[in-house]
Amino acid sequence: MYREKRVIPVLYMVIPCYNEEEVLPITSKMFLDKLMELIGQGRIAAESRILMVDDGSKDATWRIISDLAEKNHYFMGIRQSRNRGHQNTVLAGLMEAKDLCDITISIDCDGQDDINAMDDMVRAYMEGSEVVYGVRSRRDTDTMLKRATAQGFYRFLNWMGAEVVYNHADYRLISARVLRHLADFKEVNLFLRGLVPLVGFASTNVYYERHERMAGKSHYPLKKMLTLALDGITSLSIRPIRMITGLGLFISLCSFIGVLWSVTVQLMGRTVTGWASMTSMICFIGGIQLICLGVIGEYIGKIYMETKERPRYIISERTGDVAQEDNER
C-alpha cells in the first residue's frame, strides 16, 4: 500500500510484548491516546492501528491484547506460537504491517521510550526521511553499570564493523517502502539495529529522553545484551575472523624469531633447562588457539543455523480471526 506521493500516511504502531500483564493496561491507554492525537491533528490517517505482537507470553498478556482488540478496533494483535526473542517479534510485527500501512513505528510496551517523539518522527517522514531513528539524548536514569555497558556496547559494535546508530535501540519509524526491501534480508540470526541501516534510504535521528519503566520488570538483562552484541557482530561483520588472521600472523612471526633465537643459543652452547618458560609459552599458545577456535565456531554455528532456513517466526493466533491458519515465514 506504499504511496508514491506523501499524502496523509497510514501508521501502524508495532509493539512487541512478552509477559507484560502488569504494564500493558497502563501503556495501552498511552498508545491509544497518542494515536488519536495524531489522527485528530491530521498527521496520520484514520485507518492507522496499534499492532501488538505477543512473543509467546506465559502470563495474561495475550488475553489483555485480545480484550483490547475486541473493545476497540484501533487495537490489533498477533501471537507467536512460542517465545522467539525480541528481534523476531519486532520483525513479525513489521512484516505483518508492511502491506497494510505507509509507515510503522516500533516501540517497546514498557513506557520507557518517549511516546511524544512520534510527532517528530512523522514530521521527519513527511519531510522526506524513509527511516527515523529514536535516539536517547542522555542516560541519567540508568545505573552506572548499565550506562557503562550500554555505551560500551555501541562503541564495540561499531569498532567491530557492525554499523549501528549510537544510543538507538528499536524505537524507529520505517516506511513501507523500506520494509519491502528489508523483507529481502533472510537472516535467521536477526539484529535489526544493524540490518535497517544496511537497507539504506534517507534517514535521520530524533532525540528523546528515556523514562523509568512504568510497571513490571525488564526482560533485557546484561546477559541478553551480551548475546545481542554477539549476534550483531557475527551476523554483520567478519572483522573477528580477520583479527584472528592477524593474530596468527603475529604469533607466527614471534615463533619464527623464537626458533632463530633458540638455534643461535644452541650453536653458542648457552642452552639451559627452561621448563617454566616453555610451559608458559605452551599455555599461552594453547589459550590463543582455543579462543580462535571459539570465534570460528561461532561463525560456523551461525552458518549452520542459516542453512537450515527455519522460519524466523510463526504466528499462531490473530485477534478477530481465531480460525486463521498459522503463518510461517
Side-chain angles (χ1 to χ4, degrees):
M1 187 179 166
Y2 173 72
R3 304 167 183 177
E4 293 297 333
K5 295 183 180 180
R6 291 181 184 265
V7 296
I8 299 177
V10 175
L11 164 67
Y12 268 50
M13 294 184 192
V14 176
I15 305 172
C17 308
Y18 178 65
N19 291 344
E20 301 289 2
E21 62 179 2
E22 294 183 41
V23 74
L24 207 50
I26 302 172
T27 56
S28 60
K29 297 177 182 178
M30 294 173 44
F31 295 131
L32 181 60
D33 289 343
K34 174 52 66 175
L35 191 75
M36 293 296 97
E37 178 186 330
L38 291 172
I39 292 175
Q41 294 174 351
R43 297 190 179 189
I44 60 175
E47 296 85 2
S48 300
R49 295 291 183 268
I50 300 171
L51 175 60
M52 295 186 168
V53 189
D54 181 16
D55 188 20
S57 299
K58 299 178 182 178
D59 59 4
T61 297
W62 179 245
R63 179 179 59 79
I64 294 173
I65 294 174
S66 299
D67 290 343
L68 288 170
E70 184 177 349
K71 295 176 181 177
N72 192 314
H73 71 279
Y74 283 107
F75 285 100
M76 300 172 58
I78 58 176
R79 187 184 193 187
Q80 298 213 78
S81 60
R82 54 157 291 172
N83 177 250
R84 297 180 184 275
H86 181 269
Q87 297 291 283
N88 289 288
T89 303
V90 174
L91 180 71
L94 295 177
M95 294 300 101
E96 183 80 3
K98 68 180 174 63
D99 296 322
L100 304 173
C101 65
D102 298 302
I103 53 176
T104 63
I105 294 180
S106 57
I107 182 173
D108 290 340
C109 71
D110 54 19
Q112 289 187 277
D113 294 321
D114 184 7
I115 197 170
N116 292 316
M118 291 186 183
D119 296 29
D120 294 331
M121 289 182 174
V122 174
R123 185 182 301 110
Y125 167 75
M126 297 302 294
E127 292 173 354
S129 295
E130 299 285 350
V131 180
V132 185
Y133 300 103
V135 179
R136 295 183 63 173
S137 57
R138 55 184 182 179
R139 289 182 169 271
D140 294 345
T141 59
D142 290 348
T143 63
M144 185 177 296
L145 177 62
K146 173 69 174 178
R147 188 182 306 118
T149 55
Q151 292 175 343
F153 168 80
Y154 290 106
R155 291 193 180 97
F156 184 67
L157 282 175
N158 279 303
W159 182 72
M160 293 300 292
E163 182 183 349
V164 294
V165 178
Y166 186 72
N167 270 341
H168 163 70
D170 288 291
Y171 186 19
R172 67 179 77 87
L173 179 149
I174 308 179
S175 71
R177 181 186 182 190
V178 174
L179 287 176
R180 296 182 195 282
H181 290 283
L182 181 62
D184 294 332
F185 288 71
K186 304 299 183 181
E187 282 93 335
V188 173
N189 302 284
L190 280 176
F191 186 66
L192 292 175
R193 302 179 198 183
L195 281 182
V196 174
L198 285 179
V199 179
F201 292 93
S203 65
T204 189
N205 297 340
V206 165
Y207 296 90
Y208 70 96
E209 292 187 20
R210 191 171 171 88
H211 311 298
E212 295 286 350
R213 186 182 178 90
M214 292 190 171
K217 60 181 181 179
S218 173
H219 301 295
Y220 233 79
L222 178 60
K223 180 180 179 181
K224 284 191 175 181
M225 181 181 289
L226 293 175
T227 301
L228 183 65
L230 182 62
D231 285 341
I233 294 168
T234 54
S235 63
L236 296 171
S237 172
I238 61 170
R239 179 168 291 183
I241 296 292
R242 290 177 176 172
M243 290 175 64
I244 286 176
T245 302
L247 180 62
L249 291 173
F250 175 74
I251 296 297
S252 297
L253 178 61
C254 292
S255 299
F256 179 71
I257 294 174
V259 169
L260 293 179
W261 174 78
S262 62
V263 171
T264 301
V265 172
Q266 176 67 32
L267 293 176
M268 295 176 64
R270 298 180 180 179
T271 55
V272 293
T273 303
W275 178 86
S277 60
M278 184 62 68
T279 302
S280 299
M281 185 174 294
I282 291 174
C283 291
F284 174 72
I285 298 298
I288 292 295
Q289 288 176 333
L290 290 176
I291 292 173
C292 294
L293 287 174
V295 174
I296 295 172
E298 282 292 329
Y299 278 91
I300 293 175
K302 291 294 188 298
I303 295 171
Y304 173 68
M305 295 303 297
E306 294 291 342
T307 57
K308 288 177 176 293
E309 297 185 352
R310 290 174 176 170
R312 294 175 290 185
Y313 59 88
I314 300 176
I315 300 174
S316 62
E317 296 181 63
R318 285 184 171 83
T319 56
D321 192 4
V322 180
Q324 175 75 33
E325 294 183 357
D326 297 352
N327 279 348
E328 299 187 8
R329 306 189 182 184

Coordinates of all heavy atoms in Angstrom, one line a residue, residues 250-311:
F250 N 51.0 -12.7 13.6 CA 51.9 -12.1 14.6 C 52.5 -13.2 15.4 O 53.7 -13.2 15.7 CB 51.1 -11.2 15.5 CG 51.9 -10.6 16.7 CD1 52.8 -9.6 16.5 CD2 51.6 -11.1 18.0 CE1 53.6 -9.2 17.6 CE2 52.4 -10.6 19.0 CZ 53.3 -9.6 18.8
I251 N 51.7 -14.2 15.9 CA 52.2 -15.3 16.6 C 53.3 -16.1 15.8 O 54.3 -16.5 16.3 CB 51.1 -16.2 17.1 CG1 50.2 -15.5 18.1 CG2 51.7 -17.5 17.8 CD1 50.9 -15.0 19.4
S252 N 52.9 -16.3 14.5 CA 53.9 -17.0 13.7 C 55.2 -16.3 13.5 O 56.3 -16.9 13.6 CB 53.2 -17.2 12.3 OG 52.1 -17.9 12.3
L253 N 55.1 -14.9 13.4 CA 56.4 -14.2 13.3 C 57.2 -14.3 14.6 O 58.4 -14.5 14.6 CB 56.0 -12.7 13.1 CG 57.2 -11.7 13.0 CD1 58.1 -12.1 11.9 CD2 56.7 -10.3 12.9
C254 N 56.5 -14.2 15.8 CA 57.2 -14.3 17.0 C 57.8 -15.7 17.2 O 58.9 -15.9 17.7 CB 56.2 -14.1 18.2 SG 55.6 -12.3 18.3
S255 N 57.0 -16.7 16.7 CA 57.5 -18.1 16.8 C 58.8 -18.3 15.9 O 59.8 -18.9 16.3 CB 56.4 -19.1 16.3 OG 55.3 -19.0 17.2
F256 N 58.7 -17.7 14.7 CA 59.9 -17.8 13.8 C 61.1 -17.1 14.5 O 62.2 -17.7 14.4 CB 59.6 -17.1 12.5 CG 60.7 -17.1 11.5 CD1 61.1 -18.3 10.9 CD2 61.4 -15.9 11.2 CE1 62.1 -18.3 10.0 CE2 62.4 -15.9 10.3 CZ 62.8 -17.1 9.7
I257 N 60.9 -15.9 15.1 CA 62.0 -15.3 15.8 C 62.5 -16.1 16.9 O 63.7 -16.2 17.2 CB 61.5 -13.9 16.3 CG1 61.2 -13.0 15.1 CG2 62.6 -13.3 17.2 CD1 60.6 -11.6 15.5
G258 N 61.5 -16.8 17.6 CA 61.9 -17.7 18.7 C 62.8 -18.8 18.2 O 63.7 -19.3 18.9
V259 N 62.4 -19.4 17.1 CA 63.2 -20.5 16.5 C 64.6 -20.1 16.2 O 65.6 -20.8 16.5 CB 62.5 -21.1 15.3 CG1 63.4 -22.1 14.6 CG2 61.2 -21.8 15.7
L260 N 64.7 -18.9 15.6 CA 66.1 -18.4 15.2 C 66.9 -18.2 16.5 O 68.1 -18.5 16.5 CB 65.9 -17.1 14.4 CG 65.3 -17.2 13.0 CD1 65.3 -15.8 12.4 CD2 66.2 -18.1 12.2
W261 N 66.2 -17.6 17.5 CA 66.9 -17.4 18.8 C 67.4 -18.7 19.4 O 68.5 -18.8 19.9 CB 66.0 -16.6 19.7 CG 66.6 -16.4 21.1 CD1 67.5 -15.5 21.5 CD2 66.2 -17.2 22.3 NE1 67.8 -15.7 22.8 CE2 67.0 -16.7 23.3 CE3 65.4 -18.3 22.5 CZ2 66.9 -17.3 24.6 CZ3 65.3 -18.8 23.7 CH2 66.1 -18.3 24.8
S262 N 66.5 -19.7 19.5 CA 66.8 -20.9 20.1 C 68.0 -21.6 19.4 O 68.9 -22.2 20.0 CB 65.6 -21.9 20.2 OG 65.1 -22.2 18.9
V263 N 68.0 -21.6 18.0 CA 69.0 -22.2 17.2 C 70.3 -21.5 17.5 O 71.4 -22.1 17.7 CB 68.7 -22.2 15.7 CG1 69.9 -22.6 14.9 CG2 67.5 -23.1 15.5
T264 N 70.3 -20.2 17.5 CA 71.5 -19.4 17.8 C 72.1 -19.7 19.2 O 73.3 -19.9 19.3 CB 71.2 -17.9 17.7 OG1 70.6 -17.6 16.4 CG2 72.4 -17.0 17.9
V265 N 71.2 -19.8 20.2 CA 71.7 -20.1 21.5 C 72.3 -21.5 21.6 O 73.3 -21.7 22.3 CB 70.6 -19.9 22.5 CG1 71.0 -20.4 23.9 CG2 70.1 -18.4 22.6
Q266 N 71.7 -22.4 20.9 CA 72.2 -23.8 20.9 C 73.5 -23.8 20.2 O 74.4 -24.5 20.8 CB 71.2 -24.7 20.1 CG 71.6 -26.1 19.9 CD 71.7 -26.9 21.2 OE1 70.9 -26.6 22.1 NE2 72.6 -27.8 21.3
L267 N 73.7 -23.2 19.1 CA 75.0 -23.2 18.5 C 76.1 -22.5 19.3 O 77.3 -22.9 19.2 CB 74.9 -22.4 17.1 CG 74.0 -23.1 16.1 CD1 73.9 -22.3 14.8 CD2 74.6 -24.5 15.7
M268 N 75.7 -21.6 20.1 CA 76.7 -20.9 21.0 C 76.9 -21.6 22.3 O 77.8 -21.2 23.1 CB 76.2 -19.5 21.3 CG 76.1 -18.5 20.1 SD 75.3 -16.9 20.5 CE 76.6 -16.3 21.6
G269 N 76.2 -22.7 22.5 CA 76.4 -23.5 23.7 C 75.9 -22.9 24.9 O 76.4 -23.2 26.0
R270 N 74.9 -22.1 24.9 CA 74.4 -21.4 26.1 C 73.0 -21.9 26.5 O 72.3 -21.2 27.2 CB 74.3 -19.9 25.8 CG 75.7 -19.3 25.5 CD 75.5 -17.8 25.3 NE 76.8 -17.2 25.0 CZ 77.0 -15.9 24.7 NH1 75.9 -15.1 24.7 NH2 78.2 -15.4 24.5
T271 N 72.6 -23.1 26.1 CA 71.3 -23.6 26.4 C 71.2 -24.0 27.8 O 72.2 -24.6 28.4 CB 70.9 -24.8 25.5 OG1 72.0 -25.8 25.6 CG2 70.8 -24.3 24.1
V272 N 70.1 -23.7 28.5 CA 69.8 -24.2 29.8 C 68.4 -24.7 29.9 O 67.6 -24.5 29.0 CB 70.0 -23.0 30.8 CG1 71.4 -22.5 30.9 CG2 69.0 -21.9 30.5
T273 N 68.2 -25.4 30.9 CA 66.8 -26.0 31.1 C 65.8 -24.9 31.3 O 66.0 -24.1 32.2 CB 66.8 -27.0 32.3 OG1 67.8 -28.0 32.1 CG2 65.4 -27.6 32.4
G274 N 64.8 -24.8 30.5 CA 63.8 -23.7 30.6 C 62.4 -24.3 30.8 O 61.5 -23.9 29.9
W275 N 62.1 -25.0 31.8 CA 60.8 -25.6 32.0 C 59.7 -24.6 32.1 O 58.7 -24.6 31.5 CB 60.8 -26.5 33.2 CG 59.5 -27.2 33.5 CD1 59.0 -28.3 33.0 CD2 58.5 -26.6 34.4 NE1 57.7 -28.5 33.5 CE2 57.4 -27.5 34.3 CE3 58.4 -25.5 35.2 CZ2 56.2 -27.3 35.1 CZ3 57.3 -25.3 36.0 CH2 56.2 -26.2 35.9
A276 N 60.0 -23.6 33.0 CA 59.0 -22.5 33.3 C 58.6 -21.7 32.0 O 57.4 -21.5 31.7 CB 59.5 -21.6 34.3
S277 N 59.6 -21.3 31.3 CA 59.4 -20.5 30.1 C 58.7 -21.4 29.0 O 57.8 -20.9 28.3 CB 60.7 -20.0 29.5 OG 61.6 -21.0 29.2
M278 N 59.1 -22.6 28.9 CA 58.4 -23.5 27.9 C 57.0 -23.7 28.2 O 56.1 -23.7 27.4 CB 59.2 -24.8 27.8 CG 58.6 -25.8 26.7 SD 58.8 -25.0 25.1 CE 60.5 -25.0 24.9
T279 N 56.7 -24.0 29.5 CA 55.3 -24.2 30.0 C 54.4 -23.0 29.8 O 53.3 -23.1 29.3 CB 55.3 -24.6 31.5 OG1 56.1 -25.8 31.7 CG2 53.9 -24.8 31.9
S280 N 55.0 -21.8 30.1 CA 54.2 -20.6 29.9 C 53.9 -20.4 28.4 O 52.8 -20.0 28.0 CB 55.0 -19.4 30.4 OG 55.3 -19.5 31.8
M281 N 54.9 -20.6 27.5 CA 54.7 -20.5 26.1 C 53.6 -21.4 25.6 O 52.7 -21.0 24.8 CB 56.0 -20.7 25.3 CG 55.9 -20.4 23.8 SD 57.4 -20.4 23.0 CE 58.3 -19.0 23.8
I282 N 53.7 -22.7 26.0 CA 52.7 -23.7 25.6 C 51.3 -23.3 26.0 O 50.3 -23.3 25.3 CB 53.0 -25.1 26.1 CG1 54.3 -25.6 25.4 CG2 51.9 -26.0 25.9 CD1 54.9 -26.9 26.0
C283 N 51.2 -22.8 27.3 CA 49.8 -22.4 27.8 C 49.3 -21.2 27.0 O 48.1 -21.1 26.7 CB 49.9 -22.1 29.3 SG 50.2 -23.5 30.4
F284 N 50.2 -20.3 26.7 CA 49.8 -19.1 26.0 C 49.3 -19.4 24.6 O 48.2 -19.0 24.2 CB 51.0 -18.1 25.9 CG 50.7 -16.9 25.1 CD1 49.8 -15.9 25.5 CD2 51.3 -16.7 23.8 CE1 49.6 -14.8 24.8 CE2 51.0 -15.6 23.1 CZ 50.2 -14.6 23.5
I285 N 50.1 -20.2 23.9 CA 49.7 -20.6 22.5 C 48.4 -21.4 22.6 O 47.5 -21.2 21.7 CB 50.8 -21.3 21.9 CG1 52.1 -20.5 21.7 CG2 50.4 -21.8 20.5 CD1 51.9 -19.2 20.9
G286 N 48.3 -22.3 23.6 CA 47.1 -23.1 23.7 C 45.9 -22.3 23.9 O 44.8 -22.5 23.4
G287 N 46.0 -21.3 24.8 CA 44.9 -20.4 25.1 C 44.4 -19.6 23.8 O 43.3 -19.5 23.5
I288 N 45.4 -19.1 23.1 CA 45.1 -18.3 21.9 C 44.4 -19.2 20.9 O 43.4 -18.8 20.2 CB 46.4 -17.8 21.3 CG1 47.0 -16.7 22.1 CG2 46.2 -17.2 19.9 CD1 46.2 -15.5 22.3
Q289 N 44.9 -20.5 20.7 CA 44.3 -21.4 19.8 C 42.8 -21.7 20.2 O 41.9 -21.7 19.3 CB 45.1 -22.7 19.7 CG 46.4 -22.6 19.0 CD 47.2 -23.8 19.1 OE1 47.1 -24.6 20.0 NE2 48.1 -24.0 18.1
L290 N 42.5 -21.9 21.5 CA 41.2 -22.2 21.9 C 40.2 -21.0 21.7 O 39.1 -21.1 21.3 CB 41.2 -22.6 23.4 CG 41.8 -23.9 23.7 CD1 41.8 -24.2 25.2 CD2 41.0 -25.1 23.0
I291 N 40.8 -19.8 21.9 CA 40.0 -18.6 21.7 C 39.6 -18.4 20.2 O 38.5 -18.2 19.8 CB 40.7 -17.3 22.2 CG1 40.8 -17.3 23.7 CG2 40.0 -16.0 21.7 CD1 41.6 -16.2 24.3
C292 N 40.6 -18.7 19.4 CA 40.4 -18.6 17.9 C 39.4 -19.6 17.4 O 38.6 -19.3 16.6 CB 41.8 -18.7 17.2 SG 42.9 -17.4 17.5
L293 N 39.6 -20.8 18.0 CA 38.6 -21.9 17.6 C 37.2 -21.5 18.0 O 36.2 -21.8 17.3 CB 39.0 -23.2 18.2 CG 40.3 -23.9 17.6 CD1 40.7 -25.1 18.4 CD2 39.9 -24.3 16.1
G294 N 37.1 -20.9 19.2 CA 35.8 -20.5 19.7 C 35.1 -19.4 18.8 O 33.9 -19.5 18.5
V295 N 35.9 -18.4 18.3 CA 35.4 -17.4 17.4 C 34.9 -18.0 16.1 O 33.9 -17.8 15.6 CB 36.4 -16.3 17.2 CG1 35.9 -15.3 16.2 CG2 36.7 -15.6 18.5
I296 N 35.8 -18.9 15.6 CA 35.5 -19.5 14.3 C 34.3 -20.4 14.5 O 33.4 -20.5 13.6 CB 36.7 -20.4 13.8 CG1 37.9 -19.4 13.5 CG2 36.3 -21.2 12.6 CD1 39.2 -20.2 13.2
G297 N 34.2 -21.1 15.6 CA 33.0 -21.9 15.9 C 31.7 -21.1 15.9 O 30.7 -21.6 15.5
E298 N 31.8 -19.9 16.4 CA 30.6 -19.0 16.5 C 30.1 -18.8 15.0 O 28.9 -18.8 14.7 CB 30.9 -17.7 17.1 CG 30.9 -17.8 18.7 CD 29.5 -18.0 19.2 OE1 28.5 -17.6 18.6 OE2 29.4 -18.7 20.3
Y299 N 31.0 -18.5 14.1 CA 30.6 -18.2 12.8 C 30.1 -19.5 12.1 O 29.1 -19.5 11.3 CB 31.8 -17.7 12.0 CG 32.0 -16.2 12.2 CD1 32.9 -15.7 13.2 CD2 31.4 -15.3 11.3 CE1 33.0 -14.4 13.3 CE2 31.6 -13.9 11.5 CZ 32.4 -13.5 12.5 OH 32.5 -12.1 12.7
I300 N 30.7 -20.6 12.4 CA 30.3 -21.9 11.8 C 28.9 -22.2 12.3 O 28.0 -22.7 11.6 CB 31.2 -23.0 12.1 CG1 32.6 -22.8 11.4 CG2 30.7 -24.4 11.7 CD1 33.6 -23.8 11.8
G301 N 28.6 -21.9 13.6 CA 27.3 -22.1 14.2 C 26.3 -21.3 13.5 O 25.1 -21.7 13.2
K302 N 26.6 -20.0 13.2 CA 25.7 -19.1 12.5 C 25.4 -19.6 11.1 O 24.3 -19.6 10.6 CB 26.3 -17.7 12.5 CG 26.4 -17.0 13.8 CD 25.0 -16.7 14.4 CE 25.0 -15.8 15.6 NZ 25.7 -16.4 16.7
I303 N 26.4 -20.1 10.4 CA 26.2 -20.7 9.1 C 25.3 -21.9 9.2 O 24.4 -22.1 8.3 CB 27.6 -21.1 8.5 CG1 28.5 -19.8 8.2 CG2 27.4 -21.8 7.2 CD1 29.9 -20.1 7.8
Y304 N 25.5 -22.7 10.2 CA 24.7 -23.9 10.4 C 23.2 -23.6 10.5 O 22.4 -24.2 9.9 CB 25.2 -24.6 11.6 CG 24.4 -25.8 12.0 CD1 24.3 -27.0 11.3 CD2 23.7 -25.8 13.2 CE1 23.5 -28.1 11.7 CE2 22.9 -26.8 13.7 CZ 22.8 -28.0 12.9 OH 22.1 -29.1 13.3
M305 N 23.0 -22.5 11.3 CA 21.6 -22.1 11.5 C 21.0 -21.5 10.3 O 19.8 -21.7 10.0 CB 21.5 -21.1 12.7 CG 21.9 -21.7 14.1 SD 20.9 -23.1 14.5 CE 19.3 -22.4 14.6
E306 N 21.8 -20.7 9.5 CA 21.3 -20.1 8.3 C 20.9 -21.1 7.3 O 19.9 -21.0 6.5 CB 22.3 -19.1 7.8 CG 22.6 -17.9 8.7 CD 21.4 -16.9 8.7 OE1 20.5 -17.0 7.9 OE2 21.4 -16.1 9.7
T307 N 21.7 -22.2 7.1 CA 21.5 -23.2 6.1 C 20.2 -24.0 6.3 O 19.6 -24.5 5.4 CB 22.7 -24.1 6.0 OG1 22.9 -24.8 7.3 CG2 23.9 -23.4 5.5
K308 N 19.8 -24.0 7.6 CA 18.5 -24.7 7.9 C 17.3 -24.0 7.3 O 16.3 -24.6 7.1 CB 18.4 -24.9 9.4 CG 19.3 -25.9 10.0 CD 19.1 -25.9 11.5 CE 20.0 -27.0 12.2 NZ 19.6 -28.4 11.8
E309 N 17.4 -22.7 7.2 CA 16.3 -21.8 6.7 C 15.0 -22.1 7.5 O 13.9 -22.2 6.9 CB 16.1 -22.1 5.2 CG 17.3 -21.7 4.4 CD 17.0 -21.9 2.9 OE1 15.9 -22.4 2.5 OE2 17.9 -21.5 2.1
R310 N 15.1 -22.2 8.8 CA 13.9 -22.3 9.6 C 13.2 -21.0 9.6 O 13.7 -19.9 9.5 CB 14.4 -22.7 11.1 CG 14.9 -24.1 11.2 CD 15.4 -24.3 12.6 NE 15.8 -25.7 12.7 CZ 16.5 -26.2 13.8 NH1 16.8 -25.3 14.8 NH2 16.8 -27.4 13.9
P311 N 11.9 -21.0 9.9 CA 11.1 -19.8 9.9 C 11.5 -18.9 11.1 O 11.8 -19.4 12.2 CB 9.6 -20.3 10.1 CG 9.8 -21.6 10.7 CD 11.0 -22.2 10.1

